[in-house]
Amino acid sequence: SEQVGASAPLGFFDPLGFAKVGDEAGFRQLRAAELKHGRVAMMASIGALVQHFVRLPFAESARGTFGAVLKEEAQLGIPLLLLVAAMLEGAWREDATREPGNFGDPMGLNMYSEEMRSKELNNGRMAMLSVLGIFAAEMATGKDAVEQLGF
């Protein structure tokens, strides 16, 4: 429970027992995956809101957040999304000499402290749940993220 991201009231939270005691390589892999998924979910939650107001030229008539990807007029969005993801995967590599998810301080903000790392992990966890909720609500109601808020 002394790991970054272990927060009250749960402390070190691993209810399914994925992290085995003493398996540092396995823990590093799980932490890197948690950070990556959290970062993607934080961007996805912002994107889910922005999509309501901003339309790409090739997908102006597509409605919804996640369902829009399945519409015929928005099919160019899938390869575009995969291309951006592949470029990011290639640009940022894990370094075994650093803790998982530490890609340095690319903007020179000097904010990579233990407190900020815990905040990033916790915000990423919340974003993963939020994106899941946005997706489930859209599939159930047909409304995008902003429409679900009543706007």
Side-chain angles (χ1 to χ4, degrees):
S1 71
E2 51 201 57
Q3 289 294 328
V4 172
S7 302
L10 300 175
F12 182 74
F13 185 69
D14 185 19
L16 298 178
F18 287 124
K20 305 295 182 228
V21 175
D23 181 14
E24 187 177 339
F27 177 78
R28 288 180 63 84
Q29 183 179 7
L30 289 171
R31 177 52 55 92
E34 180 182 22
L35 279 165
K36 186 181 291 186
H37 287 102
R39 289 170 179 167
V40 168
M42 286 187 272
M43 292 189 315
S45 63
I46 300 285
L49 298 173
V50 171
Q51 277 184 328
H52 179 80
F53 302 104
V54 178
R55 304 276 184 203
L56 295 176
F58 57 85
E60 288 176 347
S61 62
R63 289 196 66 249
T65 304
F66 300 100
V69 190
L70 305 175
K71 304 282 192 298
E72 187 176 324
E73 62 270 11
Q75 289 300 302
L76 184 58
I78 295 173
L80 189 61
L81 182 64
L82 293 175
L83 179 65
V84 170
M87 288 181 350
L88 291 175
E89 283 289 325
W92 289 322
R93 296 279 180 193
E94 288 290 330
D95 184 354
T97 62
R98 297 179 176 173
E99 64 274 357
N102 182 351
F103 298 109
D105 189 10
M107 297 182 72
L109 298 175
N110 233 2
M111 292 178 57
Y112 201 74
S113 65
E114 213 168 282
E115 178 187 4
M116 288 304 289
R117 290 172 52 212
S118 282
K119 287 179 179 180
E120 179 185 24
L121 278 166
N122 289 321
N123 288 336
R125 292 167 182 160
M126 184 63 212
M128 287 186 267
L129 292 173
S130 298
V131 169
L132 183 62
I134 292 169
F135 175 73
E138 182 181 333
M139 293 296 109
T141 66
K143 296 180 179 180
D144 70 22
V146 173
E147 292 170 337
Q148 291 172 35
L149 297 172
F151 296 108

